[in-house]
Each structure stands twice: as structure tokens, then as C-alpha cells.
């Protein structure tokens, strides 16, 4: 089946098997291997991407269901000005160990901060409860998301255009 | 402004991780990210039965399916003498079943096709006819002389695998005979699974033109895997290159060699094309390296005041259908004899008997130095039983029985020489920090009101860093480890090690060690691991052995470089070698501190201006055979509240005070502790792999085998004491497993403490709410 969608701001057209999962389409057809697979029961969230701005588990969405949608993966986080503050915060706060869950957690964290820029610890824990991390025990993931939230708020205070850039990061110019 | 020398020295600092930039961009390269030209995919056919005769396997329909290139059956492998492979434990294991299957999900055939989906579809078409047999799932029943013999391939016609013992039986019995107090407790450590987020997998790439096999595999021990592969397959070892790319967590799961690996390699050899096999989560849990499943009975003989005399332990170990334990070869029950823990027992006698059952093979070391977790849990649990019996507070009882700091190096009754420790200091810090006395007061008030609050302590000792080669080997290969350091002319460093990290941060911590030894900055040092064609030989990363072994090798290799550097410095400074001094960042001539040369200057000179007669270049390799193991310890305290209505346990606080010797990177140590505590928490409260009487696995996926999310997981508090290892080159001991080893007992002790007023003495893990609810109802609590 033919599909057309926007991935990290670029328009893609593909011919996919109807049963192909979005996760495998991203990984195998587009080479976006930052989206990981960690389970076969929709429990782990390693495959989390944004579909029209909502965090979804791409192992449980068919590629054809994403037809006409806007998809953002971990590869879309970094902007022209460098790493997204959420990425920097994960680095600074030691929010990752093996890194396998990290892309999915980043995407859930990104979606959370979009809808709730100043989340409490409880809200962060609930916001990433669809993501399993086997390494970190979540302490530093929570810290990293808090720190990113502060960074983004700070950026908004000093230079409003910066935060606008962050918000627009998923919708960069298409080609 | 120039930085002072202490600022420049990286050891002991929370240096940000060098590996992170690729991971936070989604640019890690894990096994399933590897795509080679012409690559095929493999899918495995697995048995639906736990125990059945195979009447026939017919691949013909699968062979006709679209895209299918090859189907491999057990008989095909038998023709190549590859139907069985050796396990690390000295047993053997079927690669693909012939004759009969011995556990549900056992590998029966492999299907190789052009795409992942085609391979999976065709695997459904392989026709296997089974004749089901009665399954044996209980290891105690399995050892009954009348139980059906599962392993018909063995000469020994029983399900008994091994008997192993340590300590002095007679002396122990003697102390028991005369002891004023004896307590006894049966304790089960459930069957759990490491379940790293990335399942296992490989890509086998055999090039017939060169005869070389490159095997990409999620491996914690790539060198050992190369040697085993060479021995099993007959391929010359230099024609095998094992590459373990970024590993998405291991925790012991990625130490053994699994049947799927062998099938992928055989397929690539036969087809001359790369073959990828990535297991699903269900395959991961149902068929690869489970851990624990120890059925233990412990007895302590003690004085009236709780001072311990002797410990007696009997254990039945369920290994599943094949003994695929990943233990050092001379240790069928791992290092379980560390079970006397932190306490000064006069004598101890420990026995373990291994049993076959119709379950997946294993007994691997899940975030654990070979059965140390089972041992630590048992002794810490039973010390609480003793405390209650003699009416002494569990903290006070532990202090009475601790090995005192002046007793180190301490000779344990089962033969270990503990390197160093200060147990009382660590426990005192934990008690003070958590506010133990106030908590006990609060508890007394709550008990008076009928509320259930518990405080649990675990003051464990680990034994890690296998290990000294006189004792430790895997299939004969000594368990040393290695480092190789190469300085380029501009003073930049490439270092390679024989271990393989899976999230522990070696690219940072080993860079810190080497930078420290060479007076350079961490950014100057690039660490590489996991490619057997480039890295020096080593036994891999598990059992908290990387820092004790490869960390030691890195430091000593750095010192070896420094020895040569000193000679070059003496040449550059025009001073006698004896007059040249090293201050941590540069060499200078005694009395002339203003004129100095750094390692960067020396590296350049090593390629441009060496003293006459000296071999040019600046590189070294060091194989480090540690003189002893290291013995980290810790004091953990859990505080829980129990809801009488639902049986739910809330972990209100958890404090871990660890002593892992000198710390290389505090941020990374804390991260390791957080992660290990979370796994210990899951084991205590939510994880078990049960089977029904037919041997059906009842928790083969993450719907039924529970892994904790951020919502389930408590907030962790950490602190540290530092008792350096006297024999390790930088005084470090290793930490990655302590929290997983030490925490389960703290959780369970807290729950039992909460329930103690009802007369509860023990409750087996996992402590699901329904279990507590039942205990409450049994004891007359109805609301
Ligand atoms: S792969 Fe686990 S939820 Fe998608
Ligand atoms: S960092 Fe390894 S699973 Fe999260």
C-alpha cells in the first residue's frame, strides 16, 4: 500500500506491506534505528514516537495507520542549534545507562513537557509510566525531565523565540 | 587560569559519560541495527510441550513458502555433529531437539528466509508431530527416585545433577548439638529473569571467499564466546571475529551461548550469506538464562544473646532441562558459600544439590556474582528470624555478630579471605541517616493503634571480581582480564579492554582510570571494547568483575606506560632516571620543578626523539590476574507500610549505604545502585516465573512477568562509606550488583517486621498484595 507521511519534518512516500508495523517501517525502511523494540506485548515503550504530537508505541501501530500523519522520532529532537534541552538534561543528570530505553523515554518526556511544561515528580512518573527502563531505576530520568523543564522555562523567560523553536522542532521545513 | 593538579585528576569525579551523545541522539548501534548486504532472517520453531517425544519433523511446506532459503532441523545438525553443544557448567544442551523435547519453547527447527516476516510465517508451516509425556516441574519431586528420568542421554539414570558442599560438617554438627538456641527457616528464591530491555540476538556473516566468520552478537563475553565457538565448530579461532556492538543491558542474560546463535551461524555457513536472528521478548523470557530458583533451608546455632555459632544450609537448585548455569567451572553452585555473610560464624556447612526439571535451562548469574544473591538473601533473612527468636533488635543483633574491622583480612569458615570491611561504620551511618530510633518509636505507636509498619535491615557482604586464576576459570580459561593502551604522537590515547560494558559506563570510568595514571584528561582517552580482532583477550563483564579485573589491568597498564615514559622524561630533562619524579600530571627533575614534561610531550618524543637504543612508540598491554576477590558490603534499610484492606505494601523509604571501596565516578556508582535496587525491588514484590503441572510457562512475557515502571518504583536514597580494597591497584571493589544482592532481604525483612505482631515469621518472595492479604486473613485481620 502507498502511504505518505511527514517524518521529523520531511515528507516521505513509501509502498509498504499492509501488516508492517510503524516501528519496523521506521527502522527498516527508513533506517531510523533510534526507535527500538523491547517487547512483543506493548509493555516497554522503547518504540515510543510522536504521532500527530501524541506519544504512541510504534510497535502497536501499523505503518498504514500513520498515512497522512506527522511522525516525530528521537532523530527529530536535535535542532539546528544542537541538542534539545531534554537530551542535554539526560546527559547531565545521568538519565541513561545502556541507552536502549532512552529514545522512547525522551519521546514520552517530550510529549509530557509539551502538554505540561512544569510537571511535578508524580506527573513525570506517570508521564513515563509506559516506558520501562531496566537500568536506571528512574531516579535520574525523573531528575533529567525536571531539569529539562527548568531549562525550557528559563529559555522561555530570557528569549521567547528559543522556546518557540523547541515547540516547532517537530515541524521543521519539509523538502 | 591553570587548573590545580587535583582538579585535573579525574579519578573520583562525577565526569559526564562519554558514551551518552550517541545514545541520546538515537545513534547507538545495537544488534538489531546491524544490516548487511544480502542479509537473511531466521525464525525458530519452538515446542508447545514441556516434555514430549518428537515423532517427526517435516519442513517441506515451510521450504515451499515464499522467500524461504533453508530449514534446519535437529537431525540436520546431528548429521554435522552439532545437535548438542557444551554448556559452561560442564553439561551439554540440545541446539535443536532430537528424540524429545524437554521444556516448553525449546528450539526444534530454524527457518531462514529473505525477510523477518517470511521467516516467521514459514516457521508456522514446519510440521512437528509430538507425543506428550508427563512433565516434572518440581525439583524436589524430580529428585525422588521414582521420578521419570528426563535426560535419557546421560549415563546417570536420575535427575540429580550434582552435589556440592563447603565447610566442616563435623565441626558444624558439634556446635549445633550443644547450642542453646537453634532457628530454622525454609526460604525460596523465586525463578526470575534478567530481562534486559534489549533481547538477545546476533548476525552471523560467513565469507566463503576468505573463510572468515564475523559474528555480531549481544555478548557480555565476546572473547570467551569466540573460543567456545571455535572449539564447538572446528573453525580456526583466528578466522572468527566476534563483535559485540552496543549492548542494551545484559545483567547476566548475555553471558551464555544460546541455540539460536548456533543455528544462525550454521545457516550462514551453509548459505554463504549473513543471517540475522533477533529473539522476541517471549522467546527471551521463556528460553534463555533464567536465574535463582533456589529452595533453601537454613539453620543457625546461637547463644542465648544471639551471638552466632554455626550455620547449616541445604539447598535444592532447579536448573531446568540442562545445567546451563554460567558459573566458574569449579563452582557448580557459584560462590554460594559466601552465605555466612557479614557475621563471625565459627563453623558452617553448606550443601547444594542440582536437579533437572522440564523447564528452560539455566541458573545464570543475574546481576550477581554467581549465587551470591541467593546467599545474601538467605543469611540476611535468617538473621532476622534469629533476632526475633532471641528478642534482640535486628540492628543490635547484627552488630553483635559482625566480623569486626580488626579481623580483616578475615578467613571465613567456608574458605574465603575477605579483603577489607567496616560493617559497623556502614550500619551506623545507615541507622543515623534513616533515623532508626525515631522510626522504631513511630512503629510502636502505630502498632498500638493496630497499624502495620515495618523496618527491614540488610547488612550484606558480596564476593565479586572473579577472579584469581588459581581458583577461577570458565571451561579452563583463567578469569584474568586485560587492557591495552596506545598513545598516539599527539598525546591522545586509544585503550582497549577485554571486558564488554552494557550500560555500566566503561567508556568513561576506564578513561578516568587511564587518564589518572597518565596525567591526561578523560577526553584524551578513547575506550573500545567488544571486538575480538582488536581488543586483548578477557573474560567479559558480569559478576561485578570489570572494575576488579579490567579496572586493575587498566591502572597497571597505565603504570607500565609511565615506566617507559619516565625513561623518555629523563632523556628529555637530561636528568638521571632516579632523579626524575612524577607529580600526577608531569615529570620533572628533583629540585627543578619549573622544568617539566607532560605525557603529551613524552608521547611525541616516543615517536620523534627516543633515547638511543630505546624501542620507539608508547604502548603497553597488561593481563591482570587479581590476587584475591573483592568483598563490597552495604547496609540497606527499608521502611514499609501495609494496607490491611488490600495487602498492598508501600515502600515509604529505602536507604542504601554501600561500601564499594574507592569510587571512580560517584555519579555512575549512584546510577548503578538506583538500577540494582529497582531490580531487587521487582524481585521482592512482583517477579516469578511459575509453571503449571504440565510444564506450561505461565509468565513468558512482560504482561505476566512484571517489570517495574516509574510509577511502581520507590524513590531511592543512597550514601557511602569507603573501605578501600587493600589489594586492588586503585582500591576499588565493584558495585554494579550490590544493590540487587543486598536489597531483597531488606524489603522482605521490612514486610515480615510489619506482620510480626501477628506472629508471622517469614513470607516468600514475590510479595504480591494478594499474598499479604491472605496472610492477614489467616491471622484474623479482616479489615
Ligand atoms: S516494543 Fe515494547 S512497547 Fe513497543
Ligand atoms: S538505560 Fe538501559 S533500559 Fe534504560
Amino acid at each position: 500500500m502507498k502511504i505518505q507521511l511527514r517524518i521529523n519534518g520531511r515528507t516521505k512516500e513509501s509502498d509498504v506491506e499492509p501488516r508492517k508495523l510503524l516501528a519496523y517501517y521506521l527502522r527498516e525502511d527508513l533506517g531510523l534505528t533510534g526507535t527500538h523494540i523491547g517487547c512483543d506485548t506493548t509493555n516497554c515503550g522503547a518504540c515510543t514516537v510522536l504521532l500527530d504530537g501524541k506519544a504512541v508505541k510504534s510497535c502497536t501501530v501499523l505503518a498504514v495507520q500513520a498515512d497522512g500523519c506527522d511522525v516525530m522520532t528521537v532523530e527529530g529532537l536535535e535542532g539546528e542549534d544542537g541538542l534539545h534541552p531534554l537530551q542535554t538534561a539526560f546527559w547531565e543528570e545521568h538519565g541513561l545507562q545502556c541507552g536502549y530505553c532512552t529514545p522512547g523515554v525522551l519521546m514520552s518526556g517530550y510529549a509530557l513537557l509539551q502538554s505540561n511544561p512544569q510537571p511535578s515528580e508524580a506527573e513525570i512518573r506517570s508521564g513515563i509510566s509506559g516506558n520501562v527502563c531496566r537500568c536506571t531505576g528512574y531516579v535520574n530520568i525523573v531528575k533529567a525531565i525536571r531539569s529539562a523543564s527548568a531549562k525550557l522555562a528559563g529559555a522561555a523567560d530570557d528569549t521567547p523565540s528559543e522556546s518557540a523553536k523547541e515547540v516547532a522542532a517537530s515541524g521543521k521545513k519539509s523538502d | 587560569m591553570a587548573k590545580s593538579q587535583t582538579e585535573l585528576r579525574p579519578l573520583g569525579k562525577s565526569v559526564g559519560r562519554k558514551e551518552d551523545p550517541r545514545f541520546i541522539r538515537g545513534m547507538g548501534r545495537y544488534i538489531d541495527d546491524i544490516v548487511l548486504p544480502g542479509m537473511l532472517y531466521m525464525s525458530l520453531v519452538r515446542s508447545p510441550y514441556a516434555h514430549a517425544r518428537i515423532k517427526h519433523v517435516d519442513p517441506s511446506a515451510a521450504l515451499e513458502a515464499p522467500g524461504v532459503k533453508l530449514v534446519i532441523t535437529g537431525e540436520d545438525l546431528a548429521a554435522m555433529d552439532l545437535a548438542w553443544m557444551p554448556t559452561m557448567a560442564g553439561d551439554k544442551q540440545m541446539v535443536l531437539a532430537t528424540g524429545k523435547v524437554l521444556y516448553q519453547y525449546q528450539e526444534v527447527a530454524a527457518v531462514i528466509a529473505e525477510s523477518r516476516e517470511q521467516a516467521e510465517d514459514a516457521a508456522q508451516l514446519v510440521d512437528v508431530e509430538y507425543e506428550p509425556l508427563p512433565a516434572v516441574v518440581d525439583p524436589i519431586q524430580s529428585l525422588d527416585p521414582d521420578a521419570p528420568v528426563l535426560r535419557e542421554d546421560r549415563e546417570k539414570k536420575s535427575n540429580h545433577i550434582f552435589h556440592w558442599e563447603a565447610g566442616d560438617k563435623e565441626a558444624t554438627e558439634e556446635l549445633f548439638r550443644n547450642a542453646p538456641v537453634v532457628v530454622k527457616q525454609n526460604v525460596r528464591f523465586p525463578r526470575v529473569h534478567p530481562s534486559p530491555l534489549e533481547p538477545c540476538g546476533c548476525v552471523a556473516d560467513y565469507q566463503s571467499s576468505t573463510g572468515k566468520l564475523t559474528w555480531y552478537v549481544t555478548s557480555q563475553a565476546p572473547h570467551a564466546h569466540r573460543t567456545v565457538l571455535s572449539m564447538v565448530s572446528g573453525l580456526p579461532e583466528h578466522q572468527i571475529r566476534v563483535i559485540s556492538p552496543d549492548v542494551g543491558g545484559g545483567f547476566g542474560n548475555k553471558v551464555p551461548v544460546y541455540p539460536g546463535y548456533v543455528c544462525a551461524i550454521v545457516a550462514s555457513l551453509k548459505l554463504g550469506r549473513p543471517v540475522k536472528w533477533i529473539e522476541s521478548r517471549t522467546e527471551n523470557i521463556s528460553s534463555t538464562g533464567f536465574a535463582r530458583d533456589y529452595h533453601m533451608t537454613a539453620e543457625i546455632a546461637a547463644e542465648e544473646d544471639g551471638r552466632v555459632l554455626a550455620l547449616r544450609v541445604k539447598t535444592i537448585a532447579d536448573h531446568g532441562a540442562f545445567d546451563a548455569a554460567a558459573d566458574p567451572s569449579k563452582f557448580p553452585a557459584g560462590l554460594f558459600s559466601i552465605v555466612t555473610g557479614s557475621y563471625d560464624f565459627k563453623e558452617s556447612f553448606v550443601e547444594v544439590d542440582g536437579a533437572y526439571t522440564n523447564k528452560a535451562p539455566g541458573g545464570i548469574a543475574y546481576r550477581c556474582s554467581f549465587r551470591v544473591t541467593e546467599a545474601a538473601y538467605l543469611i540476611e533473612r535468617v538473621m532476622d528470624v534469629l533476632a526475633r527468636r532471641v528478642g534482640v533488635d535486628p540492628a543490635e543483633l547484627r552488630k553483635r555478630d559482625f566480623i569486626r574491622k580488626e579481623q580483616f583480612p578475615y578467613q571465613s569458615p567456608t574458605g574465603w579471605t575477605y579483603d577489607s570491611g567496616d560493617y559497623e561504620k556502614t550500619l551506623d551511618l545507615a541507622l543515623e541517616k534513616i533515623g532508626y530510633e525515631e522510626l522504631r518509636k513511630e512503629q510502636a505507636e502505630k502498632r498500638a493503634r493496630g497499624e502495620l509498619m515495618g523496618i527491614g535491615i540488610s547488612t550484606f557482604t558480596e564476593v565479586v571480581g572473579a577472579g584469581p586464576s588459581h581458583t577461577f576459570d570458565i571451561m579452563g580459561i583463567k578469569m584474568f582480564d586485560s587492557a591495552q593502551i596506545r598513545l598516539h604522537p599527539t598525546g591522545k590515547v586509544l585503550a582497549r579492554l577485554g571486558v564488554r560494558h552494557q550500560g555500566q559506563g566503561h567508556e568513561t570510568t576506564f578513561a578516568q582510570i587511564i587518564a589518572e595514571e597518565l596525567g591526561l584528561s578523560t577526553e584524551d582517552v578513547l575506550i573500545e571494547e567488544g571486538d575480538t580482532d582488536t581488543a586483548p583477550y578477557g573474560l567479559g563483564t558480569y559478576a561485578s568483575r570489570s572494575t576488579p579485573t579490567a579496572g586493575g589491568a587498566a591502572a597497571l597498564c597505565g603504570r607500565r606506560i609511565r615506566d617507559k615514559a619516565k625513561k623518555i622524561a629523563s632523556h628529555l630533562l637530561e636528568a638521571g632516571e632516579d632523579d626524575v619524579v612524577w607529580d600526577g600530571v608531569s615529570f620533572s627533575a628533583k629540585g627543578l620543578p619549573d622544568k617539566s614534561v607532560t605525557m603529551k610531550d613524552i608521547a611525541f618524543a616516543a615517536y620523534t626523539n627516543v633515547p638511543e637504543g630505546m624501542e620507539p612508540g608508547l604502548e603497553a598491554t597488561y593481563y591482570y590476574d587479581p590476587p584475591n576477590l573483592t568483598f563490597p558490603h552495604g547496609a540497606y534499610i527499608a521502611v514499609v507500610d501495609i494496607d490491611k484492606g488490600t495487602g498492598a505494601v508501600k515502600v515509604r523509604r529505602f536507604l542504601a549505604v554501600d561500601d564499594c571501596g574507592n569510587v571512580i565516578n560517584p555519579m555512575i556508582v549512584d546510577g548503578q545502585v538506583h538500577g540494582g535496587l529497582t531490580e531487587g525491588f521487582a524481585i521482592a514484590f512482583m517477579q516469578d516465573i511459575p509453571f503449571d503441572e504440565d510444564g506450561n510457562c505461565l509468565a513468558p512475557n512482560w504482561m505476566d512477568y512484571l517489570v517495574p515502571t516509574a510509577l511502581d518504583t520507590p524513590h531511592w536514597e543512597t550514601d557511602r562509606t569507603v573501605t578501600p580494597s587493600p589489594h586492588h591497584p586503585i582500591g576499588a571493589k565493584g558495585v554494579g550488583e550490590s544493590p540487587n544482592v543486598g536489597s531483597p532481604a531488606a524489603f522482605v525483612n521490612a514486610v515480615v517486621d510489619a506482620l510480626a505482631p501477628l506472629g508471622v515469621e517469614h513470607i516468600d518472595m514475590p510479595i504480591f498484595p494478594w499474598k499479604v492479604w491472605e496472610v492477614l486473613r489467616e491471622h484474623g485481620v479482616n479489615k
Side-chain angles (χ1 to χ4, degrees):
Chain A
M1 274 177 76
K2 289 233 184 316
I3 56 170
Q4 193 196 61
L5 59 174
R6 277 160 66 81
I7 312 262
N8 298 330
R10 291 166 180 250
T11 304
K12 290 272 176 213
E13 276 179 47
S14 303
D15 194 4
V16 296
E17 255 196 273
R19 66 165 166 182
K20 186 137 205 160
L21 296 168
L22 179 59
Y24 283 112
Y25 169 67
L26 294 169
R27 290 181 49 79
E28 293 176 353
D29 296 18
L30 304 184
L32 296 170
T33 54
T35 300
H36 296 151
I37 310 277
C39 73
D40 44 12
T41 47
T42 320
N43 286 94
C44 80
C47 60
T48 306
V49 302
L50 299 199
L51 191 65
D52 286 340
K54 274 214 182 82
V56 300
K57 293 178 173 176
S58 64
C59 70
T60 313
V61 176
L62 294 167
V64 293
Q65 286 176 289
D67 186 24
C69 294
D70 197 296
V71 177
M72 182 183 175
T73 69
V74 67
E75 290 90 347
L77 272 179
E78 191 172 4
E80 271 157 20
D81 311 334
L83 292 174
H84 186 277
L86 195 58
Q87 292 172 303
T88 322
F90 269 69
W91 191 1
E92 290 166 353
E93 300 294 342
H94 189 30
L96 61 147
Q97 291 181 22
C98 78
Y100 200 76
C101 70
T102 310
V105 179
L106 284 170
M107 296 322 286
S108 291
Y110 182 89
L112 172 69
L113 293 180
Q114 294 280 302
S115 62
N116 179 1
Q118 302 285 309
S120 66
E121 166 153 359
E123 286 167 337
I124 294 173
R125 286 184 178 264
S126 148
I128 57 164
S129 63
N131 296 82
V132 169
C133 173
R134 293 290 290 149
C135 300
T136 65
Y138 305 104
V139 177
N140 292 343
I141 291 180
V142 172
K143 262 198 219 161
I145 295 176
R146 288 206 119 160
S147 148
S149 147
K151 275 180 208 262
L152 288 163
D157 289 347
D158 311 342
T159 45
S161 60
E162 283 297 305
S163 76
K165 259 187 222 158
E166 307 303 342
V167 176
S170 63
K172 277 184 299 183
K173 60 205 173 302
S174 66
D175 55 2
Chain B
M1 213 179 79
K3 287 192 183 160
S4 76
Q5 282 172 18
T6 35
E7 270 179 285
L8 281 171
R9 310 189 85 177
L11 206 61
K13 304 247 162 47
S14 289
V15 174
R17 295 205 325 166
K18 291 166 66 103
E19 41 269 85
D20 287 357
R22 65 179 185 273
F23 295 141
I24 53 179
R25 289 182 167 96
M27 305 298 274
R29 192 167 180 246
Y30 302 92
I31 191 67
D32 200 12
D33 301 338
I34 288 168
V35 176
L36 302 177
M39 190 171 79
L40 301 168
Y41 293 82
M42 187 179 91
S43 179
L44 292 171
V45 178
R46 293 176 181 275
S47 168
Y49 297 105
H51 196 195
R53 270 197 211 290
I54 297 178
K55 305 295 280 183
H56 79 269
V57 181
D58 178 5
S60 50
L63 277 167
E64 276 160 31
V68 172
K69 294 283 160 206
L70 180 70
V71 177
I72 308 173
T73 66
E75 295 303 334
D76 296 336
L77 292 182
M80 304 165 71
D81 204 17
L82 280 175
W84 292 77
M85 63 179 180
T87 70
M88 289 188 192
D91 194 2
K92 56 180 187 163
Q93 169 176 3
M94 285 188 218
V95 178
L96 292 175
T98 48
K100 65 176 190 172
V101 289
L102 287 160
Y103 58 96
Q104 191 188 34
Y105 294 100
Q106 188 177 338
E107 300 79 1
V108 176
V111 178
I112 296 92
E114 294 283 354
S115 77
R116 199 187 292 263
E117 292 79 10
Q118 286 172 335
E120 276 170 23
D121 286 352
Q124 314 280 328
L125 301 175
V126 175
D127 184 27
V128 187
E129 194 188 327
Y130 299 95
E131 177 192 315
L133 299 166
V136 179
V137 289
D138 182 295
I140 295 150
Q141 283 170 11
S142 152
L143 291 181
D144 190 296
D146 296 333
V149 176
L150 304 182
R151 289 284 300 276
E152 290 159 356
D153 57 292
R154 291 168 89 232
E155 256 167 50
K156 191 165 156 186
K157 293 300 168 218
S158 87
N159 298 323
H160 184 254
I161 311 174
F162 63 83
H163 174 80
W164 171 91
E165 55 187 54
D168 186 330
K169 186 172 185 190
E170 275 316 305
T172 303
E173 303 293 330
E174 181 63 28
L175 285 173
F176 266 91
R177 269 193 287 279
N178 304 313
V181 177
V182 172
V183 294
K184 178 176 183 176
Q185 183 64 53
N186 293 328
V187 173
R188 173 166 184 251
F189 205 123
R191 186 180 176 101
V192 294
H193 196 279
S195 280
L197 191 56
E198 177 200 40
C200 300
C202 74
V203 181
D205 180 20
Y206 178 71
Q207 297 284 334
S208 53
S209 55
T210 57
K212 186 145 185 167
L213 171 72
T214 304
W215 185 36
Y216 303 84
V217 58
T218 51
S219 170
Q220 296 177 230
H223 299 274
H225 284 168
R226 185 189 68 197
T227 303
V228 172
L229 183 57
S230 172
M231 288 175 354
V232 172
S233 68
L235 286 172
E237 196 168 0
H238 64 291
Q239 291 285 52
I240 302 172
R241 177 182 190 182
V242 179
I243 298 177
S244 177
D246 285 327
V247 179
F251 313 121
N253 196 187
K254 295 168 180 174
V255 174
V257 169
Y258 296 117
Y261 295 163
V262 179
C263 293
I265 290 167
V266 168
S268 182
L269 286 168
K270 282 199 160 202
L271 297 166
R273 286 172 67 176
V275 175
K276 179 185 267 191
W277 173 65
I278 305 292
E279 67 180 9
S280 67
R281 173 61 56 195
T282 301
E283 294 180 290
N284 175 251
I285 298 184
S286 65
S287 71
T288 70
F290 79 88
R292 326 288 191 238
D293 216 344
Y294 258 34
H295 300 248
M296 309 177 278
T297 304
E299 294 167 277
I300 294 180
E303 305 280 12
E304 303 274 8
D305 63 359
R307 273 177 302 141
V308 294
L309 299 167
L311 174 71
R312 193 158 57 190
V313 176
K314 261 184 177 307
T315 292
I316 292 183
D318 186 342
H319 282 263
F322 310 105
D323 185 4
D327 288 324
S329 297
K330 297 188 196 75
F331 295 84
L335 314 188
F336 185 69
S337 62
I338 191 71
V339 67
T340 54
S342 308
Y343 311 106
D344 193 10
F345 283 94
K346 293 186 176 18
E347 297 294 345
S348 172
F349 184 62
V350 187
E351 293 170 279
V352 181
D353 288 277
Y356 290 120
T357 55
N358 287 120
K359 301 181 196 166
I364 59 110
Y366 165 24
R367 204 165 186 156
C368 164
S369 184
F370 314 116
R371 306 292 188 184
V372 173
T373 311
E374 290 90 326
Y377 174 62
L378 182 65
I379 187 61
E380 289 304 318
R381 186 72 274 285
V382 187
M383 285 302 279
D384 259 37
V385 174
L386 174 65
R388 201 144 331 262
R389 176 71 56 85
V390 296
V392 177
D393 177 272
E396 169 58 26
L397 180 95
R398 284 171 164 80
K399 287 191 188 185
R400 281 182 199 173
D401 285 316
F402 275 154
I403 298 159
R404 291 180 315 282
K405 74 171 185 225
E406 53 285 2
Q407 285 177 275
F408 291 94
Y410 170 79
Q411 203 63 44
S412 92
T414 53
W416 302 105
T417 306
Y418 292 21
D419 60 347
S420 64
D422 189 345
Y423 300 152
E424 188 148 354
K425 178 165 134 197
T426 310
L427 177 57
D428 279 339
L429 176 61
L431 294 172
E432 188 203 308
K433 215 173 161 188
I434 199 119
Y436 188 67
E437 278 178 31
E438 295 84 86
L439 285 169
R440 283 291 177 204
K441 272 189 214 133
E442 183 195 337
Q443 183 186 40
E445 288 161 17
K446 290 204 157 144
R447 278 187 178 165
R449 293 201 297 270
E451 291 171 39
L452 300 176
M453 167 186 165
I455 306 160
I457 300 178
S458 167
T459 48
F460 61 95
T461 289
E462 268 194 293
V463 47
V464 307
S469 69
H470 50 75
T471 312
F472 294 98
D473 66 86
I474 287 183
M475 301 171 105
I477 304 164
K478 306 288 189 188
M479 293 183 75
F480 55 80
D481 226 289
S482 62
Q484 187 179 69
I485 301 176
R486 188 179 296 172
L487 272 82
H488 302 319
T490 54
K492 303 295 178 193
V493 180
L494 172 62
R496 290 167 167 147
L497 296 105
V499 287
R500 180 61 181 120
H501 63 98
Q502 319 119 41
Q504 295 89 339
H506 291 182
E507 290 174 38
T508 311
T509 51
F510 289 153
Q512 286 177 265
I513 295 176
I514 291 167
E516 175 84 17
E517 294 294 340
L518 300 182
L520 295 169
S521 102
T522 313
E523 289 94 78
D524 294 330
V525 184
L526 176 70
I527 300 290
E528 285 184 359
E529 295 176 353
D531 183 341
T532 59
D533 264 11
T534 57
Y537 202 97
L539 269 280
T541 294
Y542 43 85
S544 287
R545 68 185 296 281
S546 295
T547 294
T549 62
L556 294 175
C557 192
R559 288 172 205 175
R560 190 169 271 175
I561 296 264
R562 226 164 58 208
D563 287 345
K564 179 168 181 184
K566 191 176 184 189
K567 293 192 172 57
I568 301 175
S570 120
H571 165 68
L572 296 177
L573 293 164
E574 296 172 351
E577 210 187 316
D578 292 346
D579 290 330
V580 170
V581 288
W582 169 252
D583 68 0
V585 286
S586 59
F587 288 103
S588 57
K590 256 184 217 151
L592 292 168
D594 290 348
K595 195 176 165 223
S596 65
V597 287
T598 64
M599 197 56 78
K600 196 174 165 194
D601 304 326
I602 291 164
F604 193 67
Y607 296 90
T608 57
N609 175 21
V610 286
E612 198 162 327
M614 182 188 275
E615 185 184 352
L618 195 53
E619 63 178 74
T621 304
Y622 203 107
Y623 283 81
Y624 178 59
D625 186 1
N628 188 8
L629 296 123
T630 59
F631 295 75
H633 68 276
Y636 291 179
I637 304 182
V639 184
V640 304
D641 298 296
I642 297 180
D643 183 323
K644 291 195 285 186
T646 62
V649 178
K650 178 154 178 49
V651 178
R652 189 205 304 177
R653 283 185 72 189
F654 192 99
L655 169 67
V657 179
D658 274 286
D659 192 323
C660 58
N662 287 338
V663 168
I664 301 162
N665 183 322
M667 173 190 85
I668 287 179
V669 167
D670 285 344
Q672 289 290 307
V673 173
H674 296 156
L677 292 177
T678 305
E679 293 187 34
F681 165 79
I683 288 167
F685 290 109
M686 46 210 297
Q687 296 181 334
D688 188 13
I689 306 180
F691 292 79
D692 70 11
E693 59 187 19
D694 295 324
N696 294 307
C697 179
L698 301 180
N701 55 50
W702 275 1
M703 298 261 261
D704 300 305
Y705 185 76
L706 304 180
V707 284
T709 68
L711 274 184
D712 307 306
T713 306
H715 181 82
W716 307 119
E717 303 168 52
T718 60
D719 207 334
R720 256 190 293 286
T721 56
V722 176
T723 313
S725 169
H727 64 79
H728 186 272
I730 56 166
K733 289 189 172 184
V735 74
E737 295 164 343
S738 302
N740 197 31
V741 169
S743 66
F747 293 117
V748 178
N749 287 346
V751 172
V752 175
D753 185 53
L755 300 174
L758 307 174
V760 174
E761 287 200 333
H762 177 69
I763 179 166
D764 265 331
M765 300 189 289
I767 306 177
F768 291 118
W770 60 260
K771 241 193 220 178
V772 178
W773 189 90
E774 274 182 5
V775 169
L776 290 170
R777 297 310 174 269
E778 277 163 25
H779 289 83
V781 178
N782 287 310
K783 59 169 180 30

